[in-house]
Amino acid sequence: MGKWKICCAISAVLFIIIAVVLVTLFFTLFKPKNPKIITRSVTLEGFNLVVFPVIKGNVSLGLVLTVDNPNYGSFKYKNSTAYINYRGNLVAEAPIHNDSIPARAKHNISTTVIIFADKLAADPNFFNDLLSGVLNFTSSTTLYGKAKVFNILKLKASSKSSCNISVLVLAQSVDTVCKAKTRL
């Protein structure tokens, strides 16, 4: 009977030690970290604007973003859409096709955004911004999917990103700054 108590006590102590180690690892090493979104290339593929007699045209932006996943788990996301706003008004959408971002790796995402000038022209500040040579946009994207940790744990996750995009009209170039946040 005494050996049985010693065996149970040792097993309980080992179980507690393993549980403490796993909880510590989960809250330190395996804690979800925000991905870094790096704009590799935003190219002005086309800029076509007709002002007279009726405003029409478009701005085509080719986007290549690199997502740096610092987590120990991969992230597989579903089809989504990036929304582009000009002064708070939705002016364009860009499809993002489902894919997977490997654990502790970098992954490129590319898409094309076509911004229609008639939606831009509806804003009373558009012509002043156009004459100043800079059009400022914001984009927002939410990717929903599943994160896998060591192919054992599968958790629902979402990654939200927002970018400030400045189109320099005369130079025909683009400057961007992006931020991202991940939720499990």
Side-chain angles (χ1 to χ4, degrees):
M1 207 49 148
K3 289 182 181 181
W4 175 254
K5 288 182 182 180
I6 293 173
C7 182
C8 286
I10 291 173
S11 296
V13 168
L14 285 175
F15 178 76
I16 291 171
I17 290 172
I18 290 172
V20 167
V21 167
L22 289 176
V23 168
T24 303
L25 283 174
F26 181 77
F27 284 113
T28 57
L29 187 62
F30 302 134
K31 180 181 175 185
K33 299 166 190 76
N34 292 328
K36 294 179 185 114
I37 298 178
I38 303 154
T39 305
R40 288 289 171 213
S41 119
V42 179
T43 57
L44 192 61
E45 293 180 350
F47 186 81
N48 181 11
L49 182 63
V50 176
V51 181
F52 188 77
V54 177
I55 297 173
K56 60 181 175 178
N58 62 47
V59 176
S60 299
L61 300 175
L63 300 172
V64 178
L65 303 172
T66 298
V67 179
D68 185 2
N69 182 8
N71 296 302
Y72 285 92
S74 64
F75 180 63
K76 185 174 183 178
Y77 58 89
K78 301 174 184 177
N79 287 337
S80 187
T81 304
Y83 298 99
I84 312 294
N85 294 299
Y86 174 73
R87 294 189 174 262
N89 298 317
L90 182 66
V91 294
E93 296 179 356
I96 298 176
H97 301 290
N98 61 335
D99 206 348
S100 180
I101 301 172
R104 301 191 57 79
K106 293 181 180 181
H107 181 73
N108 288 334
I109 299 174
S110 60
T111 189
T112 300
V113 179
I114 299 175
I115 302 170
F116 295 102
D118 56 341
K119 289 185 179 180
L120 288 173
D123 190 290
N125 297 309
F126 172 70
F127 289 109
N128 291 334
D129 290 345
L130 185 64
L131 292 174
S132 73
V134 179
L135 298 174
N136 294 311
F137 298 93
T138 58
S139 71
S140 60
T141 306
T142 302
L143 299 176
Y144 294 99
K146 291 188 178 180
K148 289 184 187 178
V149 180
F150 296 122
N151 288 328
I152 298 171
L153 293 174
K154 294 181 182 179
L155 305 169
K156 288 185 178 182
S158 65
S159 180
K160 295 181 181 187
S161 68
S162 62
C163 297
N164 292 322
I165 305 166
S166 295
V167 176
L168 307 173
V169 178
L170 296 176
Q172 291 194 353
S173 64
V174 178
D175 289 332
T176 59
V177 176
C178 296
K179 293 181 183 180
K181 181 136 179 98
T182 300
R183 274 194 145 156
L184 293 178

